[in-house]
Amino acid sequence: MFDKQGLERQMRPASSQSGWLVKWRATLLAATVLTAAGFVQAGSAVAGEINEPPRFKSDKDYSSLKDWHLKGENIVPHGVNPLYFPIVPGHQHVHERPDHPDGKYRKETVVLDSTEDFDLPGIGKFKTAVVQEEEYLDGTLTQRALNWFALDKTTNSVYVFGEVSWEINEEGKPIFAGTWRAGDPDGDGVAEPGLLMPGTFTIGGRYIFDGSKSSAYGGAENIEAGIEIAVPAGTFKNCVRVREQGLQDLKDITDKIWCPVVGVVLDTSDGKLVVSNALPKDNPAADVSSVGKLRDKPLKYTPPVAKVSGDQATKIALAEIPGKATSLKIERKKGKNVYVVEIQTKDGEKDVFVDIESGKIVGTD
């Protein structure tokens, strides 16, 4: 059974660095970590997409900045929330999803030594950690993001204050993908922080986890507790399930299983935890020496040669999904070079992926 009182004791705020280290070690003892492979779970999430109706459709269904009472003097860049990964410089972990529709997917997360300064009206001045995420498909770096995370030391809640990200094209060159930053103009207002994990986990709790209405906007709901789960990095107990619901695209639904010490061990979009240096050193999954090595490999790039014209691809796509074609570009999808034909329909925007060599439709979105 889920020990709520015990978890709340673990989540009491730490007043110093040594305090959170003591708490982290205590949590480590509470989480039974065994070497394991495969996947066994008491909850209902599985690797893949969540094909369920959205549970909530409005940002008014979630708590937000006005409810959190954030003060700059209480916000610190580094620390530990027992259900989150350690936000301490040098922490590293990796998720992998071999069944990703675009190829073998890998995400490497590293907490960097640097910090980012903020000065927000109503909150004040504070610093955030800089957390780097690099995404790979079939061994090729495709995206890099720098996230700005911090903790409220009075509650141990983890917040995000924005990110800057780049896509990496097939020639290995960075292309600016987007950014959002709390306090900056955002649509008709300003972007606000998001709550990533509350200091006290309560089933049914709901909160905005990304606060940019024009770039990244969504709400999270605490669904389940008392989960035991096995992933490549080990077997974990006393885990919880959180559902993240997009508020720009209501079909964008992700379930995440969070476990003491290591944070997310299963993400229905990003896959399963394979290594983390938050684990005991005698666990083989604590070896993070592979992090960054894919980035250092020379990029194998062969310029795509289209045997099907753009006009032909557009006609093929419109035969599949009637509407008005509004955009055409070549991208890497589902392990193939494809035309991405963007079509405006009466039900909204749709993408059709047409193989540039065979002309076959390899997917839609």
Side-chain angles (χ1 to χ4, degrees), residues 85 91-95 107-109 262 273 275-276 288 291:
F85 65 81
H91 170 76
Q92 302 175 49
H93 68 258
V94 176
H95 290 86
K107 178 190 277 188
E108 298 182 353
T109 300
V262 293
L273 185 72
V275 296
S276 169
V288 293
V291 174

Side-chain angles (χ1 to χ4, degrees), residues 66-99:
K66 67 182 185 304
D67 306 301
W68 300 334
H69 311 295
L70 293 178
K71 296 296 180 184
E73 61 266 27
N74 297 328
I75 300 173
V76 294
H78 302 128
V80 173
N81 170 311
L83 284 171
Y84 212 80
F85 65 81
I87 305 180
V88 294
H91 170 76
Q92 302 175 49
H93 68 258
V94 176
H95 290 86
E96 289 186 348
R97 183 182 169 189
D99 68 340

Side-chain angles (χ1 to χ4, degrees), residues 147-364:
N147 303 275
W148 301 311
F149 293 168
L151 292 87
D152 184 333
K153 65 183 180 182
T154 67
T155 63
N156 271 356
S157 296
V158 182
Y159 294 90
V160 59
F161 292 87
E163 69 169 294
V164 57
S165 63
W166 304 263
E167 291 180 358
I168 311 300
N169 69 12
E170 289 187 334
E171 298 177 11
K173 297 177 181 178
I175 302 172
F176 181 71
T179 185
W180 71 273
R181 183 183 177 97
D184 281 0
D186 186 61
D188 295 331
V190 296
E192 295 186 350
L195 172 57
L196 297 177
M197 177 60 69
T200 299
F201 186 91
T202 303
I203 293 176
R206 300 192 301 274
Y207 39 92
I208 295 293
F209 73 89
D210 266 337
S212 169
K213 291 184 178 181
S214 63
S215 178
Y217 200 45
E221 179 188 6
N222 298 339
I223 295 284
E224 185 180 3
I227 295 172
E228 179 175 347
I229 181 172
V231 296
T235 296
F236 301 86
K237 293 183 178 180
N238 295 330
C239 304
V240 302
R241 177 162 64 103
V242 177
R243 173 158 295 183
E244 294 184 351
Q245 165 70 62
L247 291 172
Q248 294 169 314
D249 177 2
L250 294 178
K251 294 181 180 179
D252 182 8
I253 302 174
T254 302
D255 273 7
K256 294 181 178 181
I257 305 295
W258 298 82
C259 299
V261 177
V262 293
V264 173
V265 302
L266 172 68
D267 182 316
T268 56
S269 293
D270 296 344
K272 304 170 187 177
L273 185 72
V274 294
V275 296
S276 169
N277 62 1
L279 294 168
K281 292 183 178 179
D282 60 356
N283 186 328
D287 181 2
V288 293
S289 59
S290 65
V291 174
K293 287 191 174 180
L294 287 176
R295 183 197 325 134
D296 297 332
K297 291 183 178 179
L299 186 69
K300 296 179 181 179
Y301 173 66
T302 301
V305 178
K307 297 180 180 179
V308 176
S309 71
D311 286 344
Q312 289 172 320
T314 300
K315 290 178 181 178
I316 293 168
L318 288 172
E320 177 73 11
I321 299 180
K324 181 181 179 180
T326 57
S327 174
L328 177 73
K329 54 188 175 181
I330 294 178
E331 293 185 2
R332 187 85 176 162
K333 294 284 187 181
K334 301 183 183 296
K336 297 179 180 293
N337 293 314
V338 301
Y339 286 106
V340 180
V341 185
E342 186 178 287
I343 300 174
Q344 189 66 40
T345 75
K346 62 180 182 180
D347 298 320
E349 184 182 288
K350 304 289 185 181
D351 290 338
V352 179
F353 309 139
V354 181
D355 190 306
I356 68 171
E357 295 187 3
S358 68
K360 293 182 178 179
I361 293 174
V362 299
T364 60

